Amino acid sequence: MQKFTFYNPTRIYFGKNAIDNLATELGKFGNNILLAYGGGSIIKGGLYDIVKAICGRCGKTVYEVSGIMPNPRTEKVYEGIEICKKHDVDLILAVGGGSVIDCVKAMAAGAKTDKDFWQTFYRNKEKCEAATPIGVILTLPATGSEMNSGSVVTKWDENLKTDYTDDCLYPHFSILDPTYTYTLPANQIIYGAVDTLAHAFEQYFSAPDDDNPSDYLAEAVILNVISNVEKALACPTDYEARSNLMWDSTMALNRVIGCGKRQDWNSHMIEHALSGFYDIPHGAGLAIVFPNWMRYVRHLCLGRFVRFAERIWGVNPKGKTDDEIALEGIQAVQDYFRSIGAPTTLTEVGIPAERIEEIAAKVELTEGGYQPLTQKDVVEILKAAV
Ligand code: NZQ
Ligand code: ZN
């Protein structure tokens, strides 16, 4: 394994009625709470009333920022920052999925500086010296944002969706009650599962391919997601399936399975550019990009793709070349995404081939898990996805 430093301060409360711990957590912070949520699912599902009641019993003053949209935008962040500064907010409580949590992280960073949050943190990637504390009540298993320090925000007028990571942005606590996910529409279950798988892939397909626990942990997450998605889709109140998917998604991006690995993340960068132009769900974009990225880079790590095909998809290697085995495994990923109802082509989400060059120019490429990609490589990957 490569050398690494691991740090994660987020306290997790997992399981039915985990919300019983909210009052204790609120007791650790001052009086002023900013309750942040999305377009109304928490109101419909009843969670809003529960949270408000607990805050009331704890004697808290609650301010609100609502209507946080999927692929959260800078305007919402400024709204939250203003409330935090005006009311001297002591804790921002994010109730929702990754978009609400990410937006709250940006608010938390911006609330403690006079500088512009977007330019300072998301563009210049300057260190965040202080942030308003964050608490999370998770309603959608997907991003892992409930137990990591990353945040992704979009500046829509520039078609730029970009991320920022800082230790200040780990939630102090996250409440993970799988029953809160019973109300998810099927497409969000699917996108969440694809995102979880994609996080495992980003870490798994990267050097070193030595014998290491991180890769076995990634395989466990991948296999567990695959064996639970259809159960959750068939029976929304299947607690076991919901709890597995919830912990899988947290594990896939709380940095544990990336320990000792270089990690790739270029498929994510490509997806962020797609969402930055077309506002598509993150999981939908990943289902389109990932199999095509895999085919494009497979020669860099053929042995890894052979292991993946055999261990995850049960590909029988007999009489086949390594490349044939690898390609069969990659095809299995794409077939699987299609079978659960995820889009696998740009056409399906309304992205025309003519925009590919423009989109590729916006991709913020990483060093890659094995070797860097160029913008020209991105164009080829996206062309294959039409
Ligand atoms: O807005 P509401 O009404 O709450 O509805 C939401 C939203 O429309 C709905 N929803 C959430 N929980 C629900 C529910 N509907 C019914 N019942 C529930 N229990 O689901 C819709 C999508 O929510 P969103 O938060 O956008 O989804 P997700 O959790 O997939 O977050 C996606 C965002 O996270 C970023 C993505 O790029 C995207 O912007 N990511 C964040 C990461 C991180 N911080 O580490 C890593 C990821 O790779 C990703 O980039
Ligand atoms: Zn993701």
Side-chain angles (χ1 to χ4, degrees):
M1 297 179 82
Q2 287 187 343
K3 67 177 180 180
F4 65 87
T5 302
F6 180 78
Y7 169 71
N8 197 314
T10 304
R11 186 184 301 276
I12 298 291
Y13 297 102
F14 190 97
K16 270 181 198 161
N17 302 320
I19 193 92
D20 291 347
N21 297 286
L22 180 58
T24 308
E25 283 299 331
L26 293 181
K28 298 177 184 173
F29 302 92
N31 201 47
N32 297 334
I33 309 280
L34 175 59
L35 174 60
Y37 56 98
S41 71
I42 69 156
I43 297 176
K44 254 188 250 156
L47 186 53
Y48 173 85
D49 287 338
I50 294 169
V51 172
K52 283 288 286 256
I54 295 170
C55 289
R57 280 202 296 280
C58 293
K60 303 291 178 183
T61 304
V62 180
Y63 303 93
E64 294 192 17
V65 56
S66 62
I68 296 173
M69 62 296 276
N71 299 327
R73 299 187 186 178
T74 48
E75 290 81 358
K76 263 296 155 199
V77 179
Y78 289 119
E79 200 180 313
I81 291 173
E82 202 182 317
I83 301 172
C84 287
K85 287 185 172 173
K86 187 168 169 198
H87 299 289
D88 209 4
V89 164
D90 298 300
L91 173 78
I92 316 181
L93 189 55
V95 187
S99 294
V100 173
I101 306 169
D102 285 8
C103 195
V104 155
K105 288 176 178 173
M107 292 171 190
K112 295 289 185 190
T113 177
D114 290 331
K115 296 190 213 161
D116 178 67
F117 93 90
W118 174 254
Q119 196 58 40
T120 310
F121 303 122
Y122 289 75
R123 296 308 309 272
N124 299 348
K125 315 285 183 199
E126 287 178 30
K127 171 96 191 78
C128 174
E129 301 300 339
T132 305
I134 297 165
V136 170
I137 302 174
L138 184 67
T139 64
L140 198 173
T143 64
S145 190
E146 66 279 6
M147 199 180 172
N148 70 42
S149 55
S151 158
V152 189
V153 172
T154 300
K155 189 162 188 322
W156 185 248
D157 58 2
E158 291 178 14
N159 294 122
L160 189 59
K161 180 176 179 182
T162 192
D163 66 309
Y164 178 66
T165 301
D166 192 280
D167 282 355
C168 284
L169 302 182
Y170 280 102
H172 283 243
F173 64 92
S174 285
I175 291 172
L176 276 55
D177 183 336
T179 66
Y180 295 161
T181 68
Y182 288 174
T183 53
L184 278 169
N187 63 348
Q188 295 299 340
I189 299 174
I190 294 161
Y191 300 147
V194 172
D195 194 22
T196 303
L197 291 171
H199 295 159
F201 295 163
E202 298 280 16
Q203 295 161 93
Y204 183 77
F205 291 104
S206 75
D209 288 335
D210 55 355
D211 187 35
N212 68 77
S214 294
D215 289 332
Y216 289 99
L217 289 168
E219 287 172 349
V221 167
I222 294 166
L223 289 167
N224 197 253
V225 170
I226 293 168
S227 68
N228 283 286
V229 174
E230 273 137 313
K231 290 179 196 162
L233 287 170
C235 175
T237 55
D238 182 332
Y239 181 79
E240 190 176 287
R242 296 297 198 166
S243 55
N244 285 338
L245 291 174
M246 195 170 235
W247 191 236
D248 284 333
S249 63
T250 304
M251 278 298 293
L253 200 45
N254 62 5
R255 309 294 179 196
V256 168
I257 68 170
C259 287
K261 299 284 293 184
R262 187 163 136 168
Q263 310 183 29
D264 194 276
W265 298 106
N266 271 326
S267 298
H268 265 72
M269 296 302 119
I270 299 172
E271 194 299 305
H272 289 169
L274 296 178
S275 293
F277 275 85
Y278 281 89
D279 202 18
I280 60 170
H282 177 60
L286 290 168
I288 295 163
V289 172
F290 238 110
N292 292 295
W293 173 85
M294 287 174 163
R295 280 192 201 96
Y296 195 81
V297 305
R298 71 184 190 279
H299 294 300
L300 300 176
C301 51
L302 208 49
R304 169 53 37 135
F305 275 102
V306 168
R307 169 171 163 166
F308 177 69
E310 292 180 12
R311 291 177 69 96
I312 303 297
W313 303 104
V315 172
N316 180 355
K318 217 164 158 212
K320 295 169 193 159
T321 65
D322 281 357
D323 198 42
E324 285 167 342
I325 298 164
L327 282 171
E328 215 173 305
I330 295 167
Q331 189 58 46
V333 178
Q334 198 164 38
D335 291 345
Y336 174 71
F337 286 162
R338 210 171 278 140
S339 75
I340 58 173
T344 52
T345 62
L346 293 173
T347 309
E348 283 169 81
V349 294
I351 302 181
E354 300 78 63
R355 303 282 311 262
I356 284 177
E357 304 262 353
E358 192 186 351
I359 293 169
K362 271 277 165 65
V363 176
E364 299 176 319
L365 290 165
T366 72
E367 289 298 300
Y370 295 97
Q371 68 181 47
L373 287 182
T374 64
Q375 244 76 25
K376 204 168 148 281
D377 296 324
V378 175
V379 169
E380 293 309 315
I381 290 166
L382 289 177
K383 274 186 185 164
V386 172

